[in-house]
Amino acid sequence: MSRDKMFGDNSFSSPCNTLGFLQKNNSLEEKGRLAGQKNLLSCDNSDRDARFRRTETDFSNLFARDLLPAKNGEEPTMQFLLEVVDILTNYVKKTFDRSTKVLDFHHPHQLLEGIEGFNLELSDQPESLEQILVDCRDTLKYGVRTGHPRFFNQLSSGLDIIGLAGEWLTSTANTNMFTYEIAPVFVLMEQLTLKKMREMIGWPNGEGDGLFSPGGAISNMYSVMIARYKYFPEVKTKGMSAAPRLVLFTSEHSHYSIKKAGAALGFGTDNVILLSTDERGRVIPADLEAKILDAKQKGYVPLFVNATAGSTVYGAFDPINEIADICEKYNLWLHVDGAWGGGLLMSRKHRHKLNGIERANSVTWNPHKMMGVPLQCSAILVREKGILAGCNSMCAGYLFQPDKQYDVTYDTGDKAIQCGRHVDIFKFWLMWKAKVSRVDRRVHTCWLKKTEKHLQANKNLHGFPQHTNVCFWYIPPSLRGMPDGDERREKLHRVAPKIKAMMMESGTTMVGYQPQGNKVNFFRMVVSNPSVTQSDIDFLIDEIERLAHDL
Amino acid sequence: MSRDKMFGDNSFSSPCNTLGFLQKNNSLEEKGRLAGQKNLLSCDNSDRDARFRRTETDFSNLFARDLLPAKNGEEPTMQFLLEVVDILTNYVKKTFDRSTKVLDFHHPHQLLEGIEGFNLELSDQPESLEQILVDCRDTLKYGVRTGHPRFFNQLSSGLDIIGLAGEWLTSTANTNMFTYEIAPVFVLMEQLTLKKMREMIGWPNGEGDGLFSPGGAISNMYSVMIARYKYFPEVKTKGMSAAPRLVLFTSEHSHYSIKKAGAALGFGTDNVILLSTDERGRVIPADLEAKILDAKQKGYVPLFVNATAGSTVYGAFDPINEIADICEKYNLWLHVDGAWGGGLLMSRKHRHKLNGIERANSVTWNPHKMMGVPLQCSAILVREKGILAGCNSMCAGYLFQPDKQYDVTYDTGDKAIQCGRHVDIFKFWLMWKAKVSRVDRRVHTCWLKKTEKHLQANKNLHGFPQHTNVCFWYIPPSLRGMPDGDERREKLHRVAPKIKAMMMESGTTMVGYQPQGNKVNFFRMVVSNPSVTQSDIDFLIDEIERLAHDL
């Protein structure tokens, strides 16, 4: 074996080395020349600051194979990445520019057919880097600007610059959360951040456990799994047949992921009992108690109650303390789904809406919603230490060797239902470092007041605002004189989809709609983007009126 | 309501507007001056190419609040992002530079105490952007270079430049896969790519279904869920009590996620039957049949068989055709876990190792492993169309409105157990576009041959290479003369952890170790990074010898 070059550049011994005369330390310019690209240095003071030497590279003759790890690949790699960054920073600028549209809508068949040369099909021939850059531009062009201040369509919106930088770094580090060994810094950041979050929940000394998971639905699924493990640990080995018929309780307004968890984990959706709510969408505690008693009478075993802190549609907050009283009385696991509303724990002014959360056994909290962290960033937090590992660990020897040289309690992977786990913590940690006080202020912002004023001022809007969710109907001219009844309801039901369709085509703003219970289709405007101003809300209302005036 | 500025910059009406004299179209320089930063244009020809105008910005007095959407925030935002990119591109360069270390190891308590001012703790005071940039540098400095050509520690390694660009774009687009409405391009890319993958599996016309999920463990969990739904659909509503005692079969060498799925979904790990393997780690089909018959005799109901294509430790390929014969005979769901080995489907030369995969009902395939796509990128592929939706849909009205203006079959979210779903497709689609033929060549690369040669040439290495996993013991001088027996086994068991500890401290390379079955701790070298050359493998072996010479 030839091993004469410890730590050296080993490309010399590669069989595909056709430029054997190259020296290891040849300059970038030389490399560029040898690789056959034309470099036009555009900055004269490149000595002082070589970092952003801008060369004009012809990418039409370059391919992925010319990038690192290719020999002489450094220069084209850097130029290619700078071109990509140019595309991205232009996109960022436009996202904040109200003179751009939120989207340029096309139907699926139109995009599939290919628009102006944008070909989504995968061919068998590699494309040039020039075409790859065009693909990147087109991908952004035909997408939706979720960071635009007039995008009100989802609970997650906005484009946080610090979070964005954090996510770029995360992808560059390209590692995995399962062991301290390969993610030492990220594992510790996760641990410290989860502790801070538990302190904000109010658990003594921030003790407990937790994980970042790939979204609120998975976080909620964890809560059901660990509740089952707490009361019926033998289910882990014996399956559900080792337990009696277990039932879960959650609001009729709660997120559908509780039902999904019931189906997936083997409880069955019939055993997810939906609780009635008051006119604002909050669980009625007496209904919970009645349904617990009813289940017990039937011989079922109540296991778990989910209280929602910020429901998806109405933004309702269930009364956690009253629900906790009932859970204590009947010895049930209390989970708080704060995927949406959890961010209010950062706000001195609004955190009272989650009073009682410190009595929960587990909490879901998605910083990627109200706190504006880029997708995905969701935490499952657990009061009892060790129970996540107890529930999920399988002690795989190839990852979690007990005889490592460091403290292996930092290897968190065996607590998860995942094996590989994406690094979701860094962007959040970085945002916290950069602006903890702004996060605090952010949730203080009075979107609710602004929109309430709207509803009061505009006689054609009828709605029920709460949290930053504002739900409303727009009553078009043709329905304004019509008496209430089935005909009017049916017609009103069709109004929101019609307006939404026109809105998508026009691309100027986006807001969601849905029916709920006995309410026909209504709009749900949500604000979680700090770029949004009063005039953006004005704009949305104006747009609805403009689009719907002849409905 | 004042609505006189349609589409205009609405910052004028903001209560925090203290610079009311600003014009909307003031130049960037003016904005910069007003924001109080010093700009030193470093490029003279900035008119021709304004994109990379490099200014020297003092970030010590700038904070996150000065970035977009702040008024005058565009210039500092662009400069801040370019600084971040500078940090990242330097990291990329070093990753490919063999003269840098793979890691700079510190124990958890050392990092927690803070090294050279790197403070992981979250304070209550926002940091300046200068400090944020320092945090970014430090985060990378104390991390592990998983893309380094001498990182052999995990199945996922390497740093693909096209994939990296794709991931940067994905984070900038910051959207969610659940509806066509907010991710039109990504949803179509996913659909087209999944179809290509199904074609490669060999399902007729690439028909079927699938999703990208947050990792192989979740993909495997999907396979168990849909198998259960196929045979016992009533479990979705009634729970596991509606089914008989169901059993799952998987290799003793298979990934632990099958057992995790058994525990989570309510089967119980006792009902996950482990199959015996031959000396190379491949399932013995006769053992499968014997265990099926045994289970049936006990009154249990065999449901599901997992065949592994590329096992985690040995890289073994179960004989899929023979297993498929048995599954057909007994009417069982056949899943192929190709998380690791699925990439070989791209290789004309190696795809025979997966012969029979076209007979599978479902397949897990992680492009983030052998194909070098950045983390996370895992697909669950299903032969029967509609079954994913049947199993998981809950028809949430607020997301999946049936009365949208476009073809809502493109809204894929209700097929998933997640609600929000990260965009994992774009980087893979872009890599495919850029170098489909290279992906093909990549898996042809004969790492196996290279390492086999090593083992033959070095009398102190004893191993069993297969696929690109090479498992081996290093026999240190003190054990070379010792006869086989318990004492030698115990001593040999402690060798790999000792070497690994020294290797981590020295930071020059990384390789994993583990025991398996009756085999004491051995190294598992895995290659999935195309940067790796023969000399890097030489280097690893040399390092082991260097570190272990006095063991």
Side-chain angles (χ1 to χ4, degrees), chain A residues 1-3 7 10 42-43 45 48-49 51-52 54 56 64-65 69 74 78 82 86 93 98 106-108 111 119-122 124 126-127 139 144 146 150 153-154 158 167-168 171-175 178 180-181 188-189 196 214 228 236-240 255-256 260 263-270 312 375-376 392 396 398-399 401 403 405 414 416 418-419 422 426 429 433-434 436 438 454 500 504 508 513 521 531 535 538 542, chain B residues 1-3 7-8 10 42-43 45 48-49 51-52 54 56 64-65 69 74 78 82 86 93 98 106-108 111 119-122 124 126-127 139 144 146 150 153-154 158 167-168 171-175 178 180-181 196 214 228 236-240 255-256 260 263-270 312 375-376 392 396 398-399 401 403 405 414 416 418-419 422 426 429 433-434 436 438 454 500 504 508 513 521 531 535 538 542:
Chain A
M1 273 171 282
S2 156
R3 297 170 195 168
F7 289 94
N10 293 294
S42 68
C43 297
N45 52 354
R48 190 177 59 74
D49 192 352
R51 301 179 296 176
F52 287 97
R54 169 98 183 97
E56 199 161 278
R65 62 168 177 264
E74 189 172 295
M78 294 305 127
L82 283 180
D86 183 51
K93 282 181 209 166
R98 290 175 174 80
H106 294 87
H107 283 280
L111 281 172
N119 180 10
L120 290 168
E121 289 287 344
L122 298 165
D124 292 335
E127 288 181 353
T139 297
V144 174
T146 59
R150 288 168 185 167
N153 210 67
Q154 242 68 40
E167 199 64 339
W168 286 1
S171 1
T172 313
N174 193 32
T175 194
F178 46 44
Y180 178 85
E181 189 171 323
L188 296 178
M189 285 173 175
K196 274 277 184 190
R228 179 175 67 184
K236 181 178 178 181
T237 50
K238 307 276 175 223
M240 286 295 269
H255 191 260
Y256 68 99
K260 280 213 176 184
L265 304 178
F267 292 82
T269 51
D270 288 354
T312 312
L375 289 160
Q376 59 191 32
N392 295 316
Y398 80 97
L399 266 182
Q401 304 90 333
D403 46 10
Q405 94 270 34
D414 215 16
Q418 301 183 262
C419 173
H422 190 259
F426 181 66
W429 179 89
K433 280 270 190 188
V436 56
R438 278 192 86 193
H454 258 294
K500 175 68 179 272
M504 295 279 285
T508 48
Y513 73 88
N521 276 325
S531 306
S535 54
D538 292 346
D542 285 350
Chain B
M1 272 171 282
S2 154
R3 298 174 195 166
F7 288 97
N10 293 295
S42 67
C43 296
N45 52 353
R48 189 178 59 77
D49 191 354
R51 299 179 298 177
F52 287 97
R54 169 99 184 97
E56 197 162 280
R65 62 169 178 263
E74 188 172 295
M78 294 305 128
L82 283 180
D86 183 51
K93 282 180 209 165
R98 289 175 175 81
H106 293 86
H107 283 281
L111 281 173
N119 180 9
L120 290 167
E121 289 287 345
L122 298 165
D124 292 335
E127 287 181 353
T139 297
V144 174
T146 59
R150 289 170 185 166
N153 211 66
Q154 241 69 39
E167 199 66 340
W168 287 0
S171 0
T172 312
N174 192 34
T175 194
F178 45 45
Y180 178 85
E181 187 171 324
K196 275 277 184 190
R228 178 176 67 184
K236 181 177 178 181
T237 49
K238 307 275 175 222
M240 285 296 269
H255 191 260
Y256 67 99
K260 280 213 176 184
L265 304 179
F267 293 83
T269 52
D270 289 354
T312 314
L375 289 160
Q376 59 191 35
N392 295 316
Y398 80 96
L399 266 181
Q401 304 90 334
D403 45 10
Q405 95 269 35
D414 216 15
Q418 303 183 261
C419 172
H422 189 258
F426 181 66
W429 179 88
K433 280 271 191 189
V436 56
R438 279 192 85 194
H454 257 294
K500 176 68 178 273
M504 296 278 286
T508 48
Y513 73 87
N521 276 326
S531 306
S535 55
D538 292 347
D542 285 350

Side-chain angles (χ1 to χ4, degrees), chain A residues 127-199:
Chain A
E127 288 181 353
S128 72
L129 293 183
E130 183 170 86
Q131 183 57 44
I132 290 296
L133 292 167
V134 170
D135 288 339
C136 287
R137 269 184 216 106
D138 285 343
T139 297
L140 291 171
K141 182 175 174 189
Y142 296 106
V144 174
R145 297 183 189 277
T146 59
H148 195 290
R150 288 168 185 167
F151 174 85
F152 301 99
N153 210 67
Q154 242 68 40
L155 300 180
S156 310
S157 62
L159 182 59
D160 187 274
I161 302 299
I162 302 286
L164 179 63
E167 199 64 339
W168 286 1
L169 184 145
T170 298
S171 1
T172 313
N174 193 32
T175 194
N176 205 312
M177 290 296 286
F178 46 44
T179 60
Y180 178 85
E181 189 171 323
I182 64 159
V185 179
F186 299 130
V187 162
L188 296 178
M189 285 173 175
E190 181 176 74
Q191 193 194 57
L192 292 170
T193 308
L194 288 170
K195 185 165 196 291
K196 274 277 184 190
M197 294 172 87
R198 289 190 301 260
E199 284 170 6

Side-chain angles (χ1 to χ4, degrees), chain B residues 388-409:
Chain B
L388 266 173
C391 179
N392 295 316
S393 69
M394 296 288 155
C395 302
Y398 80 96
L399 266 181
F400 310 115
Q401 304 90 334
D403 45 10
K404 288 178 182 174
Q405 95 269 35
Y406 60 83
D407 178 354
V408 294
T409 60

